[in-house]
Amino acid sequence: MLVRAALSTVLLGTSVLTALAGPTFDRTEHDVTGASSAVATVTPTPSTTAIPDDEGTTQSLEATASSAVPGACVSSDVDPGIPAADFGDIAQYSTTPLAQGVDCTGFRAYLSTGLPQYDSQSFEFFGELIGSDGSENSVAIMSQGNPLSWVDPALPVPITVEEAGLIFNRLDENAGPVIGGIDGLALPDLPPTTATADVSIGYQPWSIDVAGTTGTEAETISMTAISGAPGAVGTTYELTAVLATGYAGHSTTEPTTFTAVVNDPTGIVQWGYGPNGFFPLWMFDGTPVDGIATNDQRDAIMNEYGGDIGAYLTATNDPMTGQGSQYYSMPVLNVEQWSVTRGESYVGGGTSGTLWFDNLTETYNETADHVVRNGYQWTEFSMMLPDTGQGLLIAKTSQADVGNLYYAMLAGADSTQNANGTLAPTANWPQAAIEVEAVPGSEWTSPQSCYVYTLADHVTLAAVDGRPAVDVVLSAVDHPDQEINALGRPVYEGLFSYTGTIDGQAVSGKAWGEIQGTPPTDDCGGGSSSPSGSGEAVLAATGQDFTPIAPAAALLLFTGAVLLFGLRRRSNSAVNRRI
């Protein structure tokens, strides 16, 4: 989810995990002079797993005999050793390919390298798990790194802050999500504590491994390609989390183990523009933002280029620096098996479901920082279409200084392959062709936060210039308790269902949705005793104190205090940052 990372909502979006301001880990290694040497430990490991070749890995999609999926673009087992700097240092549009835009090897290395020069780098899996008992469950698992300088550029300590976490919601219980996380300062020379954690990224096999503690208990989160290469058709991924989880608002936690094995029949999509996948999130209209002059992009995009941002970028080469992210997704991941246990209880498991994967890198300049900290709002749906091997991304973003921006893109089967092996969207609707309207009567007031959400939206995409017509209604899955509270800013995020038509054909299925609510004008009686309580309660759900436990090292004490202050001070932008 693009805005998740942009605003770290992860999830857990991109969302909750940013709120878990206790222990955090880091992707950065440092030398004795304090200079960053590498964001993550890259551990090329010989693999005996056969990597799919260009001909043998393309799976035929039962429902789309005519929709050929490009063959996997495979890289070598040998780590190419591309320096992090070769992947750029700011998210912007450019016609010049960085290492990740040149070829498959560069792109695989991009997914396997920590990037401390960016303000955010996130990896997220989220979607639906179907239990063997027929139950519907939602899950999100993520890893996200942010340099401490993002909290305060004046900080003299070059340390990365990392959040990793799990959100699991058994929807038939209607009790809200259970949440657990490993947060902390990344100090690889010290053992993980409640304020530090270790993270490593491997190249082959691709893997992200995070280790930390809650109290005295060791915790881990891992995402690994157990066969194939990341982004290649047919690759299988194993996701695991062993950590303490609890309902937000409740101090009780239980040891939790989550596992899932998923397979990618489609490949990875590059949603953005240019060879490096830049994805804009807003347009300027030429008026100053926070006293800083801006160019008038909106009038040109809407009047000269028919609302088509891609056409505008191609014609003008406007870099739109800091106005978006570099955004990649695997929109259809078939769940082969999964299970969750909490304490002594087996919560659920099964052999079906569909997940979506997002990878985003983002940077923010002064104007962007103002935008995301001052009322930035988004409604976003990641629609999974497993029958056709496609994903449909639909969203509306808005903020007082930059107005509204709509986007809708379809990709997967029938996509062409970019030079770096990623898939290009088959349809990208211009602004005027997109309508996202709240369904009357779908309003819901959270009994916990008192925020008011509209939990159903009617989306129409016009059939213009060969693009298929889309007419769907997306509604929050039956049970409403999917609200997440990150540092005092509630977000409704979780599983949605959709029904309607695409190109005249009936469709139905599941989507991941992120909805912003309207804050209460007065006290509606909500409180932190319910499953989605205050920001402090979110921290309590992980078994952590709201104030980080001070480690023995003075450096950790200093950085922990600064981090907590910064996260509180910038909670709005942190909540807004996707994954």
Side-chain angles (χ1 to χ4, degrees), residues 13-92:
T14 322
S15 82
V16 150
L17 305 178
T18 302
L20 308 180
T24 45
F25 50 72
D26 177 45
R27 299 173 189 266
T28 309
E29 293 183 355
H30 309 282
D31 59 27
V32 293
T33 66
S36 297
S37 59
V39 177
T41 304
V42 179
T43 54
T45 303
S47 174
T48 57
T49 303
I51 296 180
D53 61 27
D54 288 356
E55 305 299 327
T57 58
T58 301
Q59 294 186 348
S60 61
L61 300 170
E62 295 179 1
T64 56
S66 63
S67 300
V69 177
C73 186
V74 177
S75 59
S76 167
D77 283 1
V78 180
D79 177 8
I82 299 174
D86 287 6
F87 302 109
D89 60 4
I90 193 164
Q92 64 182 6

Side-chain angles (χ1 to χ4, degrees), residues 103-169:
D103 55 24
C104 297
T105 298
F107 182 69
R108 300 285 154 67
Y110 170 82
L111 292 178
S112 307
T113 302
L115 303 172
Q117 66 269 39
Y118 286 92
D119 290 330
S120 178
Q121 179 186 19
S122 64
F123 303 85
E124 309 162 15
F125 291 82
F126 49 90
E128 177 189 36
L129 301 172
I130 301 173
S132 55
D133 57 0
S135 63
E136 280 189 307
N137 308 267
S138 67
V139 70
I141 184 171
M142 76 164 303
S143 165
Q144 177 169 302
N146 304 87
L148 199 59
S149 59
W150 181 83
V151 176
D152 187 344
L155 284 176
V157 184
I159 295 176
T160 297
V161 178
E162 193 78 24
E163 298 87 37
L166 172 73
I167 295 176
F168 177 81
N169 196 341

Side-chain angles (χ1 to χ4, degrees), residues 297-382:
Q297 303 163 337
R298 180 172 291 277
D299 285 342
I301 290 170
M302 301 305 294
N303 299 327
E304 298 177 37
Y305 299 97
D308 187 333
I309 293 179
Y312 165 80
L313 291 172
T314 300
T316 66
N317 289 328
D318 182 347
M320 284 190 156
T321 303
Q323 290 176 241
S325 62
Q326 291 156 173
Y327 186 23
Y328 305 92
S329 297
M330 289 180 282
V332 180
L333 293 165
N334 295 326
V335 177
E336 297 181 349
Q337 62 185 45
W338 69 275
S339 68
V340 174
T341 59
R342 294 192 72 231
E344 301 298 321
S345 302
Y346 173 71
V347 176
T351 57
S352 62
T354 308
L355 301 188
W356 179 296
F357 166 85
D358 271 352
N359 166 247
L360 298 92
T361 52
E362 299 171 314
T363 45
Y364 294 91
N365 53 21
E366 286 185 272
T367 51
D369 187 65
H370 173 83
V371 170
V372 300
R373 286 192 294 109
N374 288 273
Y376 191 76
Q377 299 281 315
W378 69 96
T379 296
E380 183 181 56
F381 298 105
S382 301

Side-chain angles (χ1 to χ4, degrees), residues 181-192:
I182 307 172
D183 306 347
L185 305 173
L187 297 169
D189 294 333
L190 295 177

Side-chain angles (χ1 to χ4, degrees), residues 380-396:
E380 183 181 56
F381 298 105
S382 301
M383 290 177 54
M384 297 171 282
L385 301 136
D387 289 343
T388 58
Q390 295 172 299
L392 178 57
L393 191 66
I394 301 167
K396 170 189 175 182

